[in-house]
Amino acid sequence: MISRQEARALIERALRVSRATETEITVGGGSLAALRFAENHIVQNTEQSWPHVSVRVGLRSGGKWRTGRSATEGLTSSDLRDAAHRAVAAARQCAPSPRYVEMAYPDEAGTWVGDARGAFDTATAGVGPARCAHEVAEIVLPSRRLGLSASGQLSVGQGGITNHGNPGIIAVGNSRGLFQYYPVTNVSMSCTVQHETGVTGWASVTGHRMSDLDSAALGRRARRLALAGVDPIELPAGSHTVVLEPAAVASLVWLLMAGFSRQRFDAGRSAIGERLGERLFGPHVTLLDDPLHPLLQSRPFDGEGVPTQRIELIRMGVPKGFMYHRYSAKLHNVTPTGHSAAQPSGAPEAARGPVLLGEDGTTEDLVRGTRRGVLVTRLWGNHFVDVRNHVVEGRTRDGLFAIEDGERTGALKNMRYRVSLIDVLRGIEAMGTPIRSGGAVVPPLRVNGFVFMGADR
Amino acid sequence: MKDLAAFALDSAVKAGASYADIRLIDARHQSISTNNGDVTQVEDGRSQGFGVRVLADGAWGFAASTSLTNDGVAEVATRAVALAKASALLAIEPVELAGSAAHQAEWSSPVQEDPFRVGLDEKTALLLRIDRALRSRSEIQSADGRMTFSHELKHFGSTEGAWIIQERTVSGVGYSATAVGPAGVQTRSYPSGPWGTQATGGYEFIRQWPLVAAADRVAGEAVSLLEAAPCPSGELDLILDSSQVARQVRETCGVPTELDRVLGWESNGAGGSFLSTDKLATYRFGSDAVTLVADPTAPGGLGSYGFDDEGVAAARWDLVRSGTLVGYLTSRQTAPLVGQSRSQGACRAASWADVPLVRMTNVSLEPGEGSLEDLVADTKRGVLMEASRATAVDGLRYGFRFGCELGWEIENGRRKRLVRNPSYSGNTPGLWRSCDHICGREEWRLWGIPGGRKGVPSQTLGSGHGASPARFRSVRVGPTRGRKR
């Protein structure tokens, strides 16, 4: 893992070889171990390790700005000089950019308050193949004994590389003196256990430390869901009361966050944005974006090195505001909230750490309080059918169960659904304790009026 | 490079590998995007590194790095062996590879005009000209354009003695116009779908499209769709244009015939496949008119190459022949699991840092006969749909729902009226068995569909899909809605 001093030195070396009016250097890369298992054995065991330096330049001429970006995985002075030259060459050949915003000054949008050590765990960084294989064995061996089939993945990384395959960001610095650095280790494990009838159960955990990983518990949960899912029957299509496990809630919350992008609102793609200040939901609904939430500890600055503010998007049922990248902040004369992608980019603001506040209780507590409903483990293939009105479709997966008088009474076949995210929030009857799930912090929810369109065939 | 590769392979063997291969790759990519008169992205990146894959104690290990030195490759090779030995602790059976000739060969994708020699100023000027043409209509609120280019020089070596050098250039282009009105939002794209199309080839691929000339029509259609009637609902005859058939082929034939998926190796990730191995050679996938082939030798396809990332030479083979499932996309490890002595050569990685996986090449629907207009004239009542807008397929690739950008309601052999938000749903064998006519070679086009994520860490690899327009009888068209309980 590149240290703060090494990152700063690398950025300064790269800045020195740039001839642009202004220059920004992003350091990413790192290392990632990814182990996949299927049919109760390891099918892939990989490690990759690579640095990544990205150079963005701004060229000012005649009061207009041109911009370009280049990237390299080489760290020699020659590599950095070549990357800088390519970025400048790209910028020179492009038309001036009317959207260009001069690079950020240090602390122009405040600072972030958190642990400068980041979310880096030395023990996790030193994890080797034997330990990873052991974690997988905790899931695979019991599955074999029970005649079940376990599949899944375990990835352990440090730096910017994630199992999404991107170089990510460890540090950002620019010629205006801005410097940000945040070291992380990441651990992600998920497993799917399949019964011989084809029914599946699934469990997943993400975090920053191997010590937080309990692979045996993960396997137990997935096996329990698979065994409970045998002989599913078909649920009639229509409107139902559902208990959504946190993984399902996280899927929907991530989609909802798009409605709080100022850029999307300006493009006419956010009905919720048109109703800021109105009480749309119950007082129990509060939604934040907070990458430094203790359960997330995500990188606290955006692609331009601007600190990401903890912002209330919905407070006690009332939508309050938007996420702003630096361009939309400039347009609207507000302070950016630290939601820029690496520039140049036309991408709208994206959430950095969704947090939906909750109350007390587990999923089982919510089930116990349900007279008649459906327990949803997970949602999949979720996508917008109406971006502006926040209407999404998708499918359930890996565990759907009927609830009668507070108890699970039987397995159900997976269903297709279509819901308005606004209706989902309005339909919240009960909330549990928020936990980390799917990169967000969300509680389990009981929601009425959830529309299933029919069984997966 | 060859000496470095040999050193890596020797190091792997000394550490205990029974088989090893290495890919050393020098890659360059360029991407340009525009939006509403602004160049929103211009990036020129370089990537150079290597990955070593090994079998040790009957299990796989893979490691990758940018350290192109003897010490660097030796360390990575040794690490890969350690990973393999850790995997072997949970092995049920040792991995066995289908045999493969150890080729000593070179291959390069044909390029007439090196896209990296075409200036960025020319590329951005073209995109901005398109942008201006799209936004000449006031209802167009957003105009997006993009071009992507990549060049890869790949050296492959194996302990079996293979040494293959491949050079591959890919070019891509696409744009879209989004119209906003009181009734909603409509988007039209060109040449196809929101992400454009790609091919192996140089800048000549960009020049072949009438990009500026088509812009007015594209913008006009987006505006017209705002006022268009909603798509009719019901069991109707469905005609899909070439690009949407290509999408249908990709999602419901290409993906579910990836053998690793069939074997359940992707069940925790990308999903499985309903085309279980017991269906091979007997399953009625489609009508007699339906023959689907995998062909990495097809000129210019996004999934074209000379050799896959296991050193297996590209060759064409059938996946579905006259409606019957007869093949899969395979690798050296998966082919023997369905009784095949040779891999079909469909094992590739998106970069040097990624481990090769079974991936689609060019998976295409063989053409039939006749023109699209003849097909429309032959259709009493139905809908013609163009250009993919939304895709939703279940985990086994059996049930699906697709949305398209534009539809034409057909009545008595004529296009009656434009319809908005057309969509259709069903299941894979049901749709393909209902295919009663495929247009001819003159309507056939090889589309390159970018994207396509698979694996952990996720790898993005595009694929090629050739198709002519086709008709499907009695398909559920229009939205499906849940009923009140």
Side-chain angles (χ1 to χ4, degrees), chain A residues 390-411:
Chain A
H390 317 291
V391 177
V392 301
E393 264 186 15
R395 293 173 151 80
T396 68
R397 181 173 166 173
D398 302 321
L400 192 72
F401 302 95
I403 303 171
E404 298 277 352
D405 296 324
E407 292 195 2
R408 299 183 205 206
T409 55

Side-chain angles (χ1 to χ4, degrees), chain A residues 41, chain B residues 18-19 53 55-60 91-100 160 263 265 310 331-338 340-343:
Chain A
H41 68 285
Chain B
S18 57
Y19 169 84
R53 191 177 67 144
L55 276 176
D57 295 349
W60 285 118
I92 297 175
E93 290 170 350
V95 171
E96 292 188 7
L97 299 182
S100 177
E160 292 172 340
L263 295 169
W265 296 1
E310 296 191 299
S331 62
R332 291 185 66 186
Q333 180 183 4
T334 56
L337 300 176
V338 287
Q340 293 176 357
S341 61
R342 294 285 186 186
S343 163

Side-chain angles (χ1 to χ4, degrees), chain A residues 178 313 342 345:
Chain A
L178 177 145
L313 301 170
S345 171

Side-chain angles (χ1 to χ4, degrees), chain B residues 56-357:
Chain B
D57 295 349
W60 285 118
F62 175 86
S65 163
T66 54
S67 298
L68 286 159
T69 63
N70 278 358
D71 286 348
V73 302
E75 183 183 338
V76 164
T78 305
R79 191 68 175 165
V81 173
L83 291 165
K85 289 182 174 177
S87 301
L89 297 173
L90 286 177
I92 297 175
E93 290 170 350
V95 171
E96 292 188 7
L97 299 182
S100 177
H103 296 284
Q104 307 270 325
E106 295 186 20
W107 180 89
S108 58
S109 60
V111 172
Q112 294 170 20
E113 187 177 5
D114 181 352
F116 292 95
R117 290 189 179 277
V118 177
L120 279 167
D121 53 350
E122 180 176 340
K123 294 165 181 166
T124 55
L126 175 56
L127 287 176
L128 290 174
R129 253 194 350 265
I130 295 166
D131 182 281
R132 282 192 295 276
L134 292 173
R135 290 189 302 127
S136 62
R137 295 175 187 257
S138 59
E139 298 95 333
I140 299 299
Q141 191 186 82
S142 183
D144 294 278
R146 69 205 63 82
M147 288 186 193
T148 55
F149 305 96
S150 66
H151 174 265
E152 182 184 85
L153 176 61
K154 185 188 314 182
H155 294 79
F156 172 87
S158 75
T159 48
E160 292 172 340
W163 182 247
I164 300 166
I165 304 172
Q166 295 195 83
E167 198 168 350
R168 197 164 172 268
T169 301
V170 174
S171 301
V173 67
Y175 63 80
S176 60
T178 298
V180 179
V185 178
Q186 293 291 334
T187 299
R188 275 294 275 149
S189 310
Y190 185 83
S192 120
W195 301 111
T197 186
Q198 296 180 357
T200 50
Y203 204 74
E204 67 276 6
F205 179 70
I206 310 299
R207 297 193 195 281
Q208 78 175 44
W209 297 97
L211 297 168
V212 178
D216 185 63
R217 172 182 64 77
V218 169
E221 287 174 349
V223 174
S224 297
L225 283 166
L226 291 175
E227 302 299 324
C231 180
S233 292
E235 304 267 329
L236 295 169
D237 289 346
L238 173 66
I239 299 176
L240 300 178
D241 81 335
S242 166
S243 73
Q244 181 59 19
V245 175
R247 175 67 67 169
Q248 186 77 43
V249 166
R250 181 185 189 281
E251 303 295 339
T252 61
C253 176
V255 172
T257 54
E258 292 176 344
L259 187 52
D260 59 346
R261 207 183 266 264
V262 173
L263 295 169
W265 296 1
E266 290 289 333
S267 56
N268 183 65
S273 169
F274 76 99
L275 293 174
S276 50
T277 55
D278 59 311
K279 292 181 167 74
L280 187 62
T282 59
Y283 185 68
R284 195 83 187 137
F285 178 91
S287 70
D288 290 346
V290 175
T291 292
L292 292 145
V293 301
D295 188 6
T297 69
L302 185 56
S304 299
Y305 45 85
F307 301 83
D308 77 351
D309 286 336
E310 296 191 299
V312 176
R316 173 189 160 111
W317 74 101
D318 292 344
L319 297 172
V320 173
R321 189 183 304 130
S322 301
T324 301
L325 176 70
V326 295
Y328 293 107
L329 299 154
T330 63
S331 62
R332 291 185 66 186
Q333 180 183 4
T334 56
L337 300 176
V338 287
Q340 293 176 357
S341 61
R342 294 285 186 186
S343 163
Q344 299 284 18
C347 193
R348 291 191 295 153
S351 78
W352 54 262
D354 295 310
V355 68
L357 303 173

Side-chain angles (χ1 to χ4, degrees), chain A residues 36 44-45 47 69-71 73 86 93 97 99 144 151 163 190 192 238 267 344-345 397 418 457, chain B residues 38 40 42-44 46-47 62 64 79 87 90 120-121 141 266-268 398 401 456 458 483 485:
Chain A
R36 293 210 295 162
Q44 170 192 309
N45 202 345
E47 282 183 9
R69 180 180 282 276
S70 70
E73 285 145 7
R86 279 186 284 113
Q93 294 183 66
S97 172
R99 288 171 55 110
R144 283 185 194 173
S151 304
N163 58 15
S190 61
T192 301
S345 171
R397 181 173 166 173
R418 177 186 288 188
R457 301 197 184 281
Chain B
D38 190 17
T40 52
V42 54
E43 180 160 344
D44 191 324
R46 276 229 151 89
S47 174
F62 175 86
R79 191 68 175 165
S87 301
L90 286 177
L120 279 167
D121 53 350
Q141 191 186 82
E266 290 289 333
S267 56
N268 183 65
Y398 183 81
R401 191 162 123 73
V456 178
S458 182
R483 297 183 300 282
R485 201 172 182 189

